[in-house]
Structures are given as structure tokens and as C-alpha cells.
Amino acid sequence: MQHQKILILDFGSQVTQLIARRVREAHVYSEVHPCDVTDAWIRDYAKDGRLKGVILSGSHASVYEETTDKAPQAVFELGVPVLGICYGMQAMAHQLGGKVEGGHKREFGTADVRAHGHTQLFNGIQDYATPEGHGMLKVWMSHGDKVTELPPGFKLMASTPSCPIAGMADEARGFYAVQFHPEVTHTLQGRAILERFVLDICKTQPDWVMDGHIDEAVAAIKHQVGDEEVILGLSGGVDSSVAAALIHRAIGDQLTCVFVDHGLLRLNEGDMVMEMFAGKLHAKVVRVDASELFLRELAGVNDPEQKRKIIGRLFVDVFKAEAEKLKAARPGSKGATFLAQGTIYPDVIESGGAKSKKAVTIKSHHNVGGLPEQLGLKLLEPLRDLFKDEVRELGVALGLPHDMVYRHPFPGPGLGVRILGEVKKEYADLLRRADAIFIEELRNFNDAETGKTWYDLTSQAFTVFLPVKSVGVMGDGRTYDYVVALRAVQTSDFMTADWAELPYALLKKVSSRIINEVRGINRVTYDVSSKPPATIEWE
């Protein structure tokens, strides 16, 4: 790629990804790298001239501790603008001759910040003005330490009553810093502030768009693969589906997709996947019905983590067996030499963070390693530079149906983690039908105020099967059947989520249909837990 770019150095904040996403939303390419890269790495990264600015992220640490990471000094010597956020501001101040101290009062939550100095970063950006004419910003704070003395050359840019230096700037060098978090939605003008930095101060070209990315990605795939063959595990999820469509666009029949049906998919999902990829895209797809194997291995298993491990292990086993079959079916051929995966950029960032131990709690992802080594294949990951919203845009640009690309997230273990406790075929069949009714009614029910469907207004919605029975009455008879719970949440980043306040009329219709149409279920509940303290999925 030849796009201009913004470098984000990650000091371990849980919301560093949001910085990169906000920059990408301004159609500017950005990358996240650990903060402890060397000065030589920084200079090498910038030598092609595409680096237009650097952003320093937040952190849980304190800059004045001896073991705390510092920004590479080369960052301040490149001649490009630098923006420090929260800890990034403190690191900038500490390293450039200012002073940082532990605060007597911690600021956590919303705050009103007064702008000072008419800097380019805030010029014309405000939420309201005081009677005295001071521009004010409604922001999100999360810090204990604070800058108490400006570095030489800096001037005050923002303040709050409890944080007199809430922003600072050295405009001669293009250095800006804010104590609050512009990347989170709670900072109302955060997007405008980041766009001002990226587009106006860094003067970056906004040319990162998915329509144009297709040609770049196709050329890269052709160059990497050449005349060799590729095998891909197609799950029906957004990432693997878009990866399959993109690779097929690039190399056609050199790609073989293996679709493992583990018996824990949504209603008719396997048929829909085959119709789309084999029927409409004319891709080579091998469908493997492994439902009996998965259900047999899951029998008697109640622990969620154990279920996940079993499903993951069996998928690898089945996929490996199919790869060997494909090779054996073509004597003299070396078969597939590449394994394609739907790894996306958050997987790469989080796995890198786990290795560098910059974040407090970050999970590693199965997509980033493991299977290629077992199969002895080279890895092809055409989506590894993209965030989820960019993957969806790319899918639409490739011609995949909007409903497929913008479906709510579905866990890799499928219904296996939406059936609490032991997984049984009977439970999966009941859950499939109940869930399909819930999703259908969400799509059919429009919000009066926005005109959008409630499926579009929720970020994730699904049904959970509870392995308990309750007494009910149908007609003149007593029933003793199973219970399901409906779950619908609204979120911008899936790090936190609020339960969706679905209309009573919608819930009433869903409950009535499930109880009347799915024999074996006689009670429907609605989950009104937010994240935190609950998680989005139940297991």
C-alpha cells in the first residue's frame, strides 16, 4: 500500500483500538504498534515519507515510575505532529521537560473542559459556551496522575477545576496533548478533534476507502499466491465470508473452501452459505456434515471453556482431514500450500498486546496462530489490516448481500455457548427455531421515531436455551417445558453494552410466537443485564 498513515503507539490502554478506528473513520490509514519499539524502528517506519503523524495512547501506568514505558525519543524528532492522549499526554510532558504528579483527586467519567489559547486543535470545536464566552467541551476523563508543570515551549490548551492542565500544545512543533479521551463516544466532539488533528494538522490525504481497497487487496493476493492453491475454513460468519469472496475474486478456482457444519449453526444457515458461495459466486465449496461427531464429543460436558476447547479441537481435526482428502484426490498434486483465515486487525492488535504484556487483560486469538503449523501451510490473511466495520464495507463492495454482511456477531462455537450446560441435539433444534423467530420479528418491527428496524437498532440479539423446565398451561392442559431467554444489546464497541429497551409489543409478539410455534418451550424471559457486570454472551 502507498497510503499516507498515522502511527498509534500503544501503552496498554483498553481503548487504543478505538483511536485507530476513529482515524480510519476519517478515511486515513492507521496502524497500532507497541510503545516500546526502538528509535531505529521509528526512523525506519518513517523513512518512506508516508508517516504523517503519531498518536500516543493512554495507559494504566504512571510515567514517573522507573519501570514505566516511555515514548521512543525519535517520535519527537521526526518533524511530524504528535498527539498525546491521557497517559500519552503525561509521557509527552515528562519526556520533554514538564512535570507529572499523582493527583489528590481522581477524575473518572464525564467532565466539562474549558478550552484555552485558541489552538488549531480546538479552533471552532465546542459543545457550548459559558456566559463569559469560554468554549466548553463535554469529555470523558479516566486518570489519577496529572501534568502539573508545562514543558518548555508549551502553552495551556484546556483545563478543568480539578485538572488545571487538561490540555497543552507546542504549535511550533505540532505537539498537542489532552488529558481526556477523544476516542470514546462519551467525548461528544471527540471525532471532530481527532479529524482536526489527522486531516488539518497532519495534512493526511483521506484516501482509505474500501471500494479502492479491493484492487489493492486483489493484487496483493495474486502476488502472494501466484499459481499455488489455497484452502479456507468457511464458517458462514462475516470475516470468513468476506475473505472467501475477496480471495475468489483474486484467484478463482485456486481457492477451495471447506464448510464444516458442526450442528450448532442458526436455522438453515448451512444451506444459505452453500447457495451464496457455491451457487452465486461459483466458488469451490466442500460441505462437511460433522454434526454427529460434535454432539457426541460434547455429550455430558457442562463447562463453557471445555465446550469451547472441544469445538475448536474438533474443527481443526475435521478441517485437517478434509485437507488431506483434497490432496489425495489429486495424485501428483501438492494440493493447497496456503491456508486462508479471516483474521482481522483487532485480532492482530490484541494478540500482539498479549505478547508484549502492555495491556492488563487482553486475550489471544486462535486465528493468529496454531492451525498453519499443524497443516504445514503458509498463511494468507487478506483482512488482517481491517477493522470489522471495514470488513463489512468491503463485503458489500464485493457484492455480498447486505443482510449477510451486516448480520449480528455469531460466536465461533455457535449455539454450543448459547445452550447453557450440556449440549444436546434436542436443545439445539429448539433453540434454532426460537432464535429464528426472535430475529425475524426484530427485522419486521420498526421503531416509530427512527424508522429503522429493531434488528438494525441492536448491535447483537439472540436467544439462550436454559436447561430448566417450568410449569405452564396450554388449552386445558398442564405443560412442563423448557425456558429460553432473549438477549439484545446496544453498543458502539462491544467493550461495554447496554441492554436494549425493546418495545413491549415486540417482546409480547416474540414470546407468543415462540411459545405457540416451538413445542417444548413454554416460557420466555428477557435479559436486562448490561456489560459490565454481565457479558454479552451467557457463556
Side-chain angles (χ1 to χ4, degrees):
M1 294 186 298
Q2 294 303 313
H3 298 277
Q4 295 175 342
K5 58 190 178 182
I6 299 293
L7 170 64
I8 299 161
L9 291 179
D10 181 18
F11 288 88
S13 168
Q14 295 296 295
V15 291
T16 299
Q17 283 190 33
L18 294 184
I19 305 173
R21 284 181 59 192
R22 298 293 173 257
V23 174
R24 299 276 188 99
E25 286 168 3
H27 301 295
V28 172
Y29 184 68
S30 61
E31 289 184 354
V32 177
H33 289 277
C35 63
D36 57 358
V37 294
T38 64
D39 286 336
W41 187 95
I42 290 288
R43 286 189 285 267
D44 185 65
Y45 188 82
K47 70 181 181 182
D48 63 2
R50 294 193 294 127
L51 180 64
K52 305 297 286 184
V54 179
I55 299 177
L56 310 177
S57 86
S59 172
H60 57 279
S62 295
V63 298
Y64 44 76
E65 295 173 356
E66 289 186 13
T67 57
T68 301
D69 289 305
K70 308 295 188 292
Q73 194 61 31
V75 164
F76 305 112
E77 300 166 357
L78 293 174
V80 300
V82 182
L83 172 64
I85 295 175
C86 195
Y87 177 93
M89 169 174 165
Q90 297 166 13
M92 183 185 290
H94 183 70
Q95 292 179 233
L96 297 182
K99 190 173 182 181
V100 179
E101 297 178 0
H104 299 295
K105 181 180 178 183
R106 188 165 185 250
E107 277 191 302
F108 182 81
T110 56
D112 286 25
V113 168
R114 175 186 165 185
H116 295 267
H118 303 286
T119 61
Q120 186 180 1
L121 186 66
F122 289 165
N123 185 34
I125 299 175
Q126 65 182 44
D127 288 303
Y128 67 96
T130 67
E132 297 79 18
H134 301 143
M136 303 295 291
L137 294 165
K138 289 186 171 293
V139 305
W140 181 261
M141 290 280 198
S142 180
H143 69 101
D145 300 340
K146 60 185 178 182
V147 177
T148 56
E149 185 178 312
L150 292 170
F154 280 77
K155 66 179 180 180
L156 182 66
M157 184 169 68
S159 67
T160 72
S162 60
C163 186
I165 304 177
M168 61 183 194
D170 178 345
E171 297 202 276
R173 289 188 285 177
F175 295 166
Y176 298 83
V178 292
Q179 188 58 67
F180 58 86
H181 287 268
E183 69 273 28
V184 302
T185 55
H186 304 75
T187 297
L188 301 187
Q189 298 296 330
R191 183 169 182 168
I193 292 168
L194 286 171
E195 286 187 358
R196 171 67 55 77
F197 176 73
V198 169
L199 297 177
D200 297 340
I201 294 173
C202 296
K203 302 188 184 307
T204 312
Q205 292 297 317
D207 59 0
W208 178 250
V209 291
M210 289 303 99
D211 279 348
H213 182 64
I214 291 176
D215 292 339
E216 293 177 359
V218 165
I221 292 167
K222 287 180 176 179
H223 177 74
Q224 184 176 357
V225 174
D227 60 358
E228 297 180 54
E229 294 187 27
V230 179
I231 189 171
L232 177 145
L234 182 62
S235 68
V238 174
D239 300 337
S240 70
S241 296
V242 174
L246 181 61
I247 296 168
H248 185 259
R249 171 79 66 93
I251 61 173
D253 284 347
Q254 290 170 249
L255 169 68
T256 300
C257 300
V258 176
F259 173 50
V260 179
D261 185 344
H262 50 30
L264 301 169
L265 299 172
R266 290 167 283 199
L267 190 67
N268 302 322
E269 185 160 21
D271 294 338
M272 289 189 289
V273 169
M274 294 303 295
E275 179 185 357
M276 170 52 57
F277 287 93
K280 294 181 180 177
L281 293 183
H282 307 294
K284 291 193 295 186
V285 184
V286 177
R287 182 176 183 174
V288 183
D289 184 355
S291 54
E292 288 188 10
L293 170 65
F294 278 78
L295 290 170
R296 184 171 66 247
E297 291 292 317
L298 288 168
V301 178
N302 292 289
D303 180 72
E305 284 304 305
Q306 195 176 352
K307 287 194 293 185
R308 287 177 179 272
K309 288 177 181 177
I310 290 170
I311 292 169
R313 172 178 57 80
L314 290 177
F315 177 84
V316 170
D317 291 345
V318 173
F319 190 86
K320 285 168 63 178
E322 291 303 317
E324 290 300 321
K325 286 181 187 177
L326 289 170
K327 185 175 180 181
R330 299 174 59 187
S333 168
K334 59 182 179 181
T337 55
F338 281 91
L339 171 70
Q341 293 188 151
T343 307
I344 63 175
Y345 198 42
D347 301 341
V348 177
I349 295 172
E350 291 182 9
S351 294
K355 290 176 183 175
S356 65
K357 297 182 174 60
K358 295 302 170 197
V360 177
T361 53
I362 279 186
K363 58 186 176 181
S364 59
H365 288 261
H366 69 278
N367 273 356
V368 182
L371 192 54
E373 289 82 357
Q374 294 186 44
L375 292 174
L377 301 178
K378 294 175 284 187
L379 197 55
L380 176 63
E381 297 175 312
L383 309 180
R384 67 178 285 116
D385 291 327
L386 306 183
F387 284 99
K388 184 69 122 185
D389 52 344
E390 294 170 327
V391 172
R392 295 187 195 278
E393 290 177 31
L394 182 62
V396 171
L398 286 164
L400 293 177
H402 185 277
D403 285 352
M404 170 184 275
V405 171
Y406 281 89
R407 280 198 306 178
H408 291 177
F410 188 62
L415 302 182
V417 290
R418 290 180 178 173
I419 297 169
L420 300 195
E422 183 180 7
V423 177
K424 296 182 180 180
K425 185 178 186 302
E426 172 196 2
Y427 299 168
D429 290 340
L430 290 172
L431 178 56
R432 248 188 291 274
R433 293 162 59 201
D435 187 68
I437 290 170
F438 184 30
I439 299 303
E440 180 182 340
E441 291 302 333
L442 285 170
R443 291 188 185 279
N444 289 340
F445 209 97
N446 285 18
D447 174 55
E449 185 176 332
T450 65
K452 294 182 179 180
T453 71
W454 273 98
Y455 186 84
D456 292 328
L457 290 172
T458 52
S459 307
Q460 191 167 354
F462 54 92
T463 309
V464 179
F465 183 87
L466 310 183
V468 295
K469 287 187 173 184
S470 72
V471 174
V473 178
M474 297 193 76
D476 294 325
R478 173 186 184 273
T479 63
Y480 187 55
D481 288 325
Y482 290 107
V483 181
V484 294
L486 308 179
R487 176 75 159 144
V489 298
Q490 294 173 315
T491 176
S492 62
D493 53 29
F494 289 90
M495 295 177 182
T496 62
D498 293 321
W499 61 274
E501 297 184 31
L502 299 182
Y504 287 154
L506 170 56
L507 290 172
K508 182 177 181 180
K509 186 171 185 182
V510 172
S511 176
S512 177
R513 282 196 60 193
I514 289 174
I515 291 170
N516 281 285
E517 296 176 30
V518 186
R519 182 167 293 183
I521 297 173
N522 71 354
R523 193 176 297 269
V524 176
T525 66
Y526 187 54
D527 182 351
V528 293
S529 311
S530 293
K531 175 188 179 181
T535 54
I536 293 176
E537 296 284 350
W538 278 41
E539 286 194 346

